[in-house]
């Protein structure tokens, strides 16, 4: 009886173990992480991304609505993650108090992204976002599709947007994990 209980508890613990999506460490290869700013549509926001000396992903820059802009993002388009809508994306990060967005795509050819907003506090924290809570949007507008109900992720993106004239932003990312059941 006790042995069965131990095996049962161990199987539960293993079934909810996080899957490491990306660990921003000193040895991390961040070549697949790319900046995409509003410059693709004529804006002048400018984001940068690098590993800092502590080994965290450092996404920072200026975001502005001048020249019809208003966003900056860092993204990785090289994922082939098998997921369930009930899975949870966990991001350990330290923001500057701004609101950011997690955006994912099931496939690159999908024209819209699934989006969830999250605030930051200025302290290290872990943001948890259930995939099925992510809503479909295209260029900031809702799309008439259900929330995330797919079994695949090919893109992970973190975005900051603004409606103000100009503001700096700063975000440190430690790691991104997927908790699956």
């Amino acid at each position: 009886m006790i042995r069965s209980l131990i095996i049962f508890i161990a199987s539960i613990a293993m079934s909810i173990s996080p899957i490491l999506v990306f660990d921003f460490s000193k040895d991390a290869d961040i070549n697949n992480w790319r900046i995409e700013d509003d410059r693709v549509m004529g804006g002048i926001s400018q984001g940068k991304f690098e590993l800092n000396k502590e080994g965290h992903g450092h996404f920072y820059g200026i975001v502005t609505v001048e020249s019809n802009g208003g966003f900056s993002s860092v993204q990785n388009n090289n994922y082939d993650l098998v997921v369930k809508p009930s899975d949870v994306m966990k991001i350990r990060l330290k923001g500057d108090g701004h609101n950011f967005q997690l955006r994912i795509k099931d496939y690159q050819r999908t024209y819209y992204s699934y989006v969830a907003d999250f605030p930051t506090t200025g302290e290290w924290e872990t943001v948890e976002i259930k995939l099925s809570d992510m809503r479909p949007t295209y260029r900031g507008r809702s799309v008439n599709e259900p929330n995330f109900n797919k079994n695949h992720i090919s893109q992970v993106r973190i975005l900051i947007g603004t409606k103000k004239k100009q503001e700096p932003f700063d975000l440190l990312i430690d790691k991104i994990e997927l908790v699956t059941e």
Side-chain angles (χ1 to χ4, degrees):
M1 174 75 171
I2 293 177
R3 184 171 190 264
S4 296
L5 182 59
I6 291 170
I7 291 171
F8 175 73
I9 291 170
S11 69
I12 289 174
M14 288 182 357
S15 68
I16 57 173
S17 297
I19 297 166
L20 189 60
V21 175
F22 202 90
D23 184 6
F24 295 94
S25 64
K26 290 181 181 180
D27 300 325
D29 179 359
I30 62 167
N31 287 325
N32 287 331
W33 289 89
R34 306 261 187 243
I35 291 291
E36 183 175 281
D37 295 320
D38 54 25
R39 293 170 180 260
V40 298
M41 53 188 232
I44 60 171
S45 296
Q46 186 168 356
K48 296 180 181 172
F49 189 70
E50 62 193 17
L51 282 178
N52 69 9
K53 64 184 178 186
E54 290 82 27
H56 298 113
H58 189 195
F59 176 41
Y60 63 99
I62 301 281
V63 66
T64 180
V65 295
E66 289 182 47
S67 299
N68 298 315
F71 77 90
S72 182
S73 67
V74 60
Q75 66 189 28
N76 188 327
N77 297 324
N78 295 303
Y79 282 104
D80 189 14
L81 297 172
V82 176
V83 299
K84 296 183 301 243
S86 60
D87 292 348
V88 174
M89 194 75 77
K90 290 175 59 173
I91 309 169
R92 180 159 162 69
L93 54 77
K94 181 179 180 182
D96 59 4
H98 283 100
N99 290 333
F100 290 82
Q101 290 183 347
L102 172 66
R103 292 175 163 243
I104 60 173
K105 280 190 171 188
D106 57 342
Y107 292 100
Q108 292 303 312
R109 68 181 177 270
T110 304
Y111 74 92
Y112 55 88
S113 298
Y114 293 93
V115 176
D117 299 302
F118 61 90
T120 62
T121 64
E123 302 294 328
W124 281 104
E125 59 192 306
T126 300
V127 174
E128 297 187 14
I129 299 169
K130 188 173 183 178
L131 298 182
S132 63
D133 290 340
M134 297 183 76
R135 65 194 185 285
T137 66
Y138 178 68
R139 295 187 176 171
R141 292 190 171 88
S142 294
V143 174
N144 189 19
E145 293 287 335
N147 281 5
F148 188 85
N149 62 357
K150 310 294 183 179
N151 62 6
H152 185 261
I153 293 175
S154 67
Q155 180 190 83
V156 175
R157 175 189 294 218
I158 295 177
L159 180 140
I160 184 166
T162 188
K163 294 184 171 133
K164 297 179 181 178
K165 185 171 181 169
Q166 179 174 312
E167 56 188 334
F169 65 91
D170 197 287
L171 180 71
L172 295 174
I173 310 167
D174 180 40
K175 63 183 171 182
I176 303 172
E177 296 176 308
L178 184 69
V179 178
T180 185
E181 297 177 355

